[in-house]
Amino acid sequence: MLVLGIETTCDETAAAVVRRNEDGRGEILSDIILSQVAEHAPYGGVVPEIAARAHVEVLDRAVARAMIEANVSFSDLDGVAAAAGPGLIGGVIVGLTTAKAIALVAEKPLLAVNHLEAHALTARLTDGTPFPYCLFLASGGHTQILAVLDVGKYVRLGTTVDDAIGEAFDKTAKLLGLGYPGGPEVEREAQRGEPERFILPRPMLGRAEADFSLSGLKTALRMEAEKVAPLTDQDVADLCASFQQAVVDVVTDRLRAGLRLFREQFGGPTALVVAGGVAVNQSIRRALNRVAIGEGTVLVAPPPNLCTDNGAMIAWAGCERLALGMTDTLDVSPRARWPLDGDEWPRRGEKVS
Ligand code: KG4
Ligand code: ZN
């Protein structure tokens, strides 16, 4: 089974071709990512209008390169997948419309993939992880602990009540005058910093439910930074290290709670799986590994380039859905909001509002 996957929900224009073999294992034949980081960097964050225009300008090229590198033609494909949301609506429209056009002309099934589902299923592409597993999805827009029970079956065990973890990293970086995206900058600074110099809160610690709250941490960090301003290089490094340590402590405690909730409701998970851009962070990965072992399971962490947004995860989610006959019609609508669980999943054929 060969599927082309298109990702345009945020600031990466990505296209990839993935093969799913009969034994259910996946193989990435090509994986093209054209990042817009340089275009958004002067603004310190993603500008939706710039993102949409940039997707229009380069998506055709990304698709062509993905097809050439995989050495396949449109007629070889078994399906065309695109992220149909959630995300910045301009970009989502560009990707989904392109996928619809290719599907229509090549007479192939369309797969309208939920971007979060694609993150959730990546561990099955990289490691063949069987259901059910516990997923920690931590990106710039999402912080969720989910029970992944089957393709299309997700139960949310915990979420953030305010900022996403990646957003907290990005805001911390901005506050300290570091570049965008902030996560990698804060991680780099933290390596030469003293994590115990600044006392920062660990919100939600010890609670039975598995929710997060991160905005208080950000406010506390700002107050500490104001106390020692003007900041030296060492102050910045120490603030980053203290912030990252607080996040690690919170993640450790919240994931323990999440795994306990999982066990109560669904029995033991096959693994703790991590996904999303924040999953690139080495300190967070190490902490999650300790949590997984402590709770009697294993950590599955896809390689960094498959944790951040990419086309291969969309193509793979398309493969998984196509194998189950879960295809979409050409009137499926792009969606800015599309939670993985709850009433809104799945709702098809809506008009864009
Ligand atoms: O999944 P992703 O590529 O895009 C979405 O948000 O969907 O995640 C991007 C987020 C950004 O907030 C970025 O700062 C964060 O992931 N991130 C990191 C690291 N690398 C990327 N956060 C902490 N440490 C990192 N090394
Ligand atoms: Zn993402």
Side-chain angles (χ1 to χ4, degrees):
M1 186 185 287
L2 264 187
V3 172
L4 166 69
I6 293 173
E7 159 61 37
T8 54
T9 63
C10 193
D11 58 348
E12 320 277 7
T13 311
V17 178
V18 168
R19 174 159 51 216
R20 183 181 185 273
N21 297 318
E22 271 176 21
D23 61 2
R25 297 300 295 230
E27 197 184 332
I28 299 171
L29 302 189
S30 62
D31 187 15
I32 306 299
I33 301 182
L34 305 177
S35 176
Q36 306 171 3
V37 163
E39 278 146 278
H40 299 290
Y43 305 94
V46 178
V47 184
E49 290 75 14
I50 294 178
R53 200 170 318 133
H55 287 306
V56 173
E57 279 166 12
V58 302
L59 182 57
D60 286 359
R61 213 179 324 140
V63 169
R65 274 178 56 190
M67 298 300 289
I68 290 167
E69 260 187 39
N71 198 19
V72 296
S73 63
F74 288 142
S75 60
D76 298 325
L77 296 173
D78 295 295
V80 184
L88 301 173
I89 196 67
V92 179
I93 291 171
V94 172
L96 185 59
T97 308
T98 302
K100 284 180 181 179
I102 297 170
L104 182 67
V105 171
E107 296 181 351
K108 302 293 176 185
L110 173 73
L111 301 136
V113 168
N114 181 310
H115 175 93
L116 304 176
E117 175 171 49
H119 276 303
L121 297 175
T122 299
R124 292 170 55 75
L125 166 64
T126 57
D127 294 76
T129 308
F131 298 119
Y133 52 85
C134 184
L135 175 78
F136 178 42
L137 175 61
S139 69
H142 300 274
T143 301
Q144 294 180 3
I145 303 176
L146 292 155
V148 181
L149 305 177
D150 205 338
V151 178
K153 277 199 193 142
Y154 310 92
V155 177
R156 194 160 60 189
L157 300 172
T159 190
T160 178
V161 298
D162 40 53
D163 292 351
I165 296 193
E167 191 182 354
F169 270 94
D170 293 336
K171 286 180 177 169
T172 294
K174 201 168 184 176
L175 181 85
L176 299 177
L178 302 171
Y180 176 85
E185 301 277 334
V186 172
E187 182 174 19
R188 206 189 51 233
E189 289 292 325
Q191 275 165 8
R192 52 179 196 86
E194 169 53 61
E196 270 143 39
R197 177 166 163 210
F198 296 99
I199 312 293
L200 298 172
R202 269 73 170 152
M204 301 290 208
L205 224 65
R207 298 221 191 168
E209 75 277 12
D211 290 331
F212 294 78
S213 168
L214 295 148
S215 66
L217 178 54
K218 177 192 64 198
T219 309
L221 180 104
R222 196 185 59 235
M223 280 157 60
E224 292 296 327
E226 280 167 3
K227 274 190 223 160
V228 292
L231 302 177
T232 63
D233 285 355
Q234 194 56 48
D235 292 336
V236 169
D238 293 345
L239 283 161
C240 287
S242 302
F243 167 81
Q244 186 171 275
Q245 187 56 49
V247 172
V248 162
D249 290 350
V250 167
V251 165
T252 300
D253 183 74
R254 305 294 64 217
L255 263 295
R256 281 202 186 114
L259 282 167
R260 280 179 207 140
L261 290 178
F262 190 108
R263 190 162 290 119
E264 277 165 30
Q265 294 178 39
F266 311 106
T270 60
L272 169 61
V273 170
V274 66
V278 179
V280 172
N281 187 290
Q282 290 298 321
S283 300
I284 293 178
R285 279 189 184 225
R286 278 196 297 274
L288 290 170
N289 194 38
R290 286 193 295 271
V291 170
I293 292 166
E295 296 293 322
T297 187
V298 291
L299 179 71
V300 171
N305 63 320
L306 293 174
C307 283
T308 50
D309 291 348
N310 65 86
M313 70 177 189
I314 306 298
W316 173 252
C319 288
E320 294 248 47
R321 295 183 71 81
L322 184 59
L324 297 170
M326 301 161 96
T327 59
D328 293 276
T329 48
L330 290 178
D331 63 354
V332 66
S333 296
R335 303 181 57 169
R337 264 183 54 74
W338 190 1
L340 257 191
D341 66 338
D343 301 343
E344 296 193 55
W345 171 274
R347 198 197 288 163
R348 301 280 162 162
E350 284 177 350
K351 295 279 169 285
V352 196
S353 53

